[in-house]
Amino acid sequence: MSKIKFHSGENVPLEMHKVRIVQKLNLPPVEDRLKAMEEAGYNTFLLKNRDVFMDMLTDSGVNAMSDKQQAAMLEADDSYAGSETFTKLENKIKEIFGTEYFLPTHQGRACENIISQSFVKPGTIVPMNYHFTTTKAHIVLNGGRIEEIFIDEALNLTSDNPFKGNMDLDKLRDLIETSGADKIAFVRLEAGTNLIGGQPFAVENMQQVRKVCDEFGLMLILDASLLADNLYFIKEREEQCKEMTVREITRTIADLADIIYFSARKLGNARGGGICTNNRDVYMKMREYITLYEGFLTYGGMSVREMEAITVGLEETMDEEMINQGPQFISFMTEELIKKGVPVVTPAGGLGCHINAMEFVDHIPQSAYPAGALAAALYIVSGIRGMERGTLSEQRDEEGNETLSHMELLRLAMPRRVFTLSQVKYAVDRIAWLYENRKLIGGLEFTEEPSVLRFFFGKLTTSTDWQNKLVAKFKADFGDSL
């Protein structure tokens, strides 16, 4: 997809693909959406898909496959052990990342489990540019703790810094020297930092992090799940990489990491995951966990059909016209919301458009989960399902106190090659209307609160009758329109 300037002067993203398979969508009436939200406990994860019009919850496992991926799935070698399909995937990963060893898993959090079990011990620390929910949970479960070593600009929601996902080198060095290198399990760098708006890191920053790791004898582990977006931003924004191909940038990044792991639900546009390394000792330490938790070494919990699709999807990720689709659509949506005064994270990152709920509903305290309330309100007025990325996505401390998030974001993911521009414009229109009526939105409180990863399946209710007032205002303004 390329960005085309129309005769009208408008710059819009242009899809560089055509739609050949379609899936019918439903847009239930607003009263039905309210009922569905109440039944889901005001948790968008618990909505039934039949009640959702635009599913912007995540880009994980819901990206559109290409015709070549679909065709490849018919060639799968369905063998329990020694499958030729696995060999294809292993060779493609070796070609792209330059890694000798590959361990397949059923998805990204399986990689996190195996890496944490292998290298995180009680009392150890994992520095990272920012945490991800399941990553943090696995590290804590194994007795470790995380330290977020992000640059100061990372938490500035409105910014022109092109690489807010960079790691602060001075803070990293200070942590290692203060804690002792023997206490550092490994250093983790996440491509396209999920929880702060899909913000990328620069190759130059990763090179400097690598030097610090070498100085203290530490492993550098890359979470490459959102690598496709990060590659696009590096090529667009980093001077030293503008003349490099996507494949060359990928190999430069891969050569800097001791371990690369990824969710193929994001990277590769299929479903699965894997861990890559050139270190045989590291590989052998993790290998037994694959057969224990995932499956045999040549399928790792994945179907062979998915492995065929991942192999093609990884190759397609090396195409600039493929990896630029998500970021350009997200940028368009972000810019349109800015025109309407809606507070969003800038610069536009990868994964999705991120609304600043802290400012959008500044009358709701963090203890009442403003991003979660905004996600519920948006679904009610639009049928759009987004994901809360704020305090609701944290968990209480050991004393039961609420852990307030650095940010309160409503993430509206942009699955690749899924939505049309008219659907994006519909989302912008409903968000803009909601912003004009934001004072109607109230907070949430738990009725059923799990102790771990509560945002997945916890249930909440409204603290007042705000949801009915919101519906009444919607009907007054839109009448019988959905």
Side-chain angles (χ1 to χ4, degrees):
M1 184 190 69
S2 299
K3 205 164 190 179
I4 301 297
K5 189 168 186 177
F6 280 46
H7 181 62
S8 64
E10 184 182 14
N11 284 304
V12 297
L14 183 68
E15 296 92 338
M16 297 299 287
H17 59 267
K18 61 182 179 181
V19 178
R20 299 179 64 190
I21 298 177
V22 297
Q23 183 177 25
K24 187 178 184 298
L25 295 176
N26 299 308
L27 181 51
V30 66
E31 297 91 348
D32 292 353
R33 299 196 296 260
L34 174 58
K35 183 180 178 182
M37 192 79 265
E38 290 171 340
E39 291 176 351
Y42 289 85
N43 183 345
T44 55
F45 270 98
L46 301 182
L47 288 166
K48 293 181 173 62
N49 191 55
R50 64 171 175 260
D51 297 323
V52 174
F53 173 54
M54 288 179 68
D55 195 353
M56 305 182 84
L57 183 79
T58 181
D59 67 341
S60 180
V62 294
N63 298 297
M65 284 189 183
S66 70
D67 53 352
K68 290 181 172 58
Q69 285 183 290
Q70 292 278 353
M73 293 173 79
L74 299 176
E75 300 178 349
D77 173 12
D78 197 7
S79 302
Y80 182 92
S83 166
E84 280 301 310
T85 289
F86 172 78
T87 302
K88 280 187 197 176
L89 176 56
E90 185 181 42
N91 288 340
K92 180 57 64 177
I93 286 171
K94 186 181 297 186
E95 173 194 325
I96 290 174
F97 291 138
T99 49
E100 186 68 27
Y101 305 104
F102 172 62
L103 295 169
T105 66
H106 77 276
Q107 64 183 74
R109 73 193 56 166
C111 302
E112 295 168 346
N113 173 47
I114 290 163
I115 291 170
S116 296
Q117 292 241 24
S118 299
F119 304 110
V120 177
K121 307 301 178 190
T124 56
I125 304 166
V126 179
M128 55 183 67
N129 51 343
Y130 208 81
H131 82 277
F132 184 62
T133 48
T134 55
T135 316
K136 179 179 179 179
H138 281 299
I139 290 167
V140 171
L141 188 65
N142 284 278
R145 65 180 173 89
I146 67 158
E147 286 287 343
E148 293 170 320
I149 313 295
F150 48 79
I151 61 173
D152 294 341
E153 192 76 8
L155 301 186
N156 184 356
L157 272 69
T158 53
S159 167
D160 58 2
N161 188 309
F163 294 108
K164 293 199 291 187
N166 280 351
M167 185 173 283
D168 189 306
L169 300 169
D170 291 335
K171 293 177 186 175
L172 175 62
R173 181 180 295 277
D174 182 64
L175 174 69
I176 297 170
E177 291 176 344
T178 302
S179 304
D182 61 317
K183 291 292 186 182
I184 307 297
F186 52 83
V187 177
R188 172 183 174 271
L189 199 60
E190 180 182 338
T193 43
N194 193 312
L195 295 184
I196 58 171
Q199 299 297 314
F201 64 74
V203 168
E204 182 182 11
N205 183 253
M206 187 175 184
Q207 290 168 334
Q208 295 303 315
V209 172
R210 174 77 263 173
K211 288 181 180 179
V212 174
C213 289
D214 287 343
E215 180 181 344
F216 291 97
L218 300 174
M219 282 199 306
L220 176 58
I221 295 182
L222 172 67
D223 179 350
S225 301
L226 291 172
L227 181 63
D229 292 339
N230 211 124
L231 289 169
Y232 169 78
F233 290 124
I234 286 171
K235 185 162 178 59
E236 284 289 304
R237 300 174 182 177
E238 191 165 6
E239 199 60 41
Q240 67 165 309
C241 299
K242 287 186 175 181
E243 301 303 318
M244 297 172 67
T245 66
V246 173
R247 197 179 295 271
E248 288 169 341
I249 297 170
T250 302
R251 188 59 177 270
T252 299
I253 289 172
D255 288 346
L256 295 169
D258 294 290
I259 295 175
I260 302 166
Y261 74 92
F262 64 94
S263 168
R265 296 174 71 93
K266 297 179 183 292
L267 183 67
N269 295 336
R271 295 189 177 188
I275 307 171
C276 322
T277 185
N278 273 319
N279 187 316
R280 179 171 173 78
D281 292 338
V282 164
Y283 165 78
M284 295 298 288
K285 191 167 187 176
M286 294 185 288
R287 188 177 68 169
E288 292 179 3
Y289 289 116
I290 297 294
T291 51
L292 181 61
Y293 290 111
E294 299 298 302
F296 191 64
L297 292 173
T298 55
Y299 75 92
M302 283 186 275
S303 81
V304 288
R305 288 166 59 84
E306 295 290 350
M307 283 193 279
E308 290 280 359
I310 295 167
T311 302
V312 175
L314 288 173
E315 177 60 33
E316 291 177 345
T317 302
M318 298 296 100
D319 180 358
E320 188 178 349
E321 289 291 353
M322 181 273 187
I323 64 171
N324 66 13
Q325 175 175 4
Q328 289 189 14
F329 254 91
I330 293 163
S331 177
F332 175 82
M333 184 174 180
T334 300
E335 290 167 8
E336 291 300 301
L337 287 172
I338 290 172
K339 291 175 186 176
K340 297 180 181 299
V342 177
V344 291
V345 174
T346 59
L351 202 160
C353 176
H354 293 76
I355 298 175
N356 178 4
M358 197 95 78
E359 186 177 338
F360 195 113
V361 284
D362 57 6
H363 57 285
I364 302 177
Q366 281 193 270
S367 58
Y369 313 117
L374 181 56
L378 179 60
Y379 170 75
I380 291 170
V381 303
S382 67
I384 296 169
R385 171 161 63 173
M387 185 190 293
E388 187 273 359
R389 299 277 72 173
T391 297
L392 190 60
S393 292
E394 299 290 343
Q395 61 189 53
R396 297 181 187 272
D397 63 22
E398 293 178 355
E399 285 73 42
N401 299 311
E402 192 66 82
T403 303
L404 300 180
S405 175
H406 289 122
M407 297 179 179
E408 295 287 340
L409 303 180
L410 170 55
R411 188 185 79 189
L412 299 171
M414 197 75 71
R416 305 302 177 259
R417 301 177 292 202
V418 171
F419 296 127
T420 65
L421 199 60
S422 67
Q423 289 169 329
V424 173
K425 288 184 174 181
Y426 167 81
V428 169
D429 179 82
R430 290 301 189 261
I431 294 166
W433 180 89
L434 189 59
Y435 185 61
E436 292 174 2
N437 295 278
R438 60 192 179 277
K439 294 301 181 183
L440 292 174
I441 306 171
L444 300 174
E445 55 192 23
F446 271 104
T447 60
E448 183 181 317
E449 183 179 358
S451 59
V452 178
L453 299 176
R454 60 186 183 177
F455 67 93
F456 276 131
F457 47 91
K459 291 191 173 183
L460 304 97
T461 189
T462 54
S463 52
T464 64
D465 191 36
W466 63 261
Q467 71 279 14
N468 289 312
K469 295 176 182 177
L470 185 67
V471 169
K473 176 61 173 171
F474 180 89
K475 292 175 72 175
D477 285 2
F478 290 99
D480 293 333
S481 172
L482 299 176

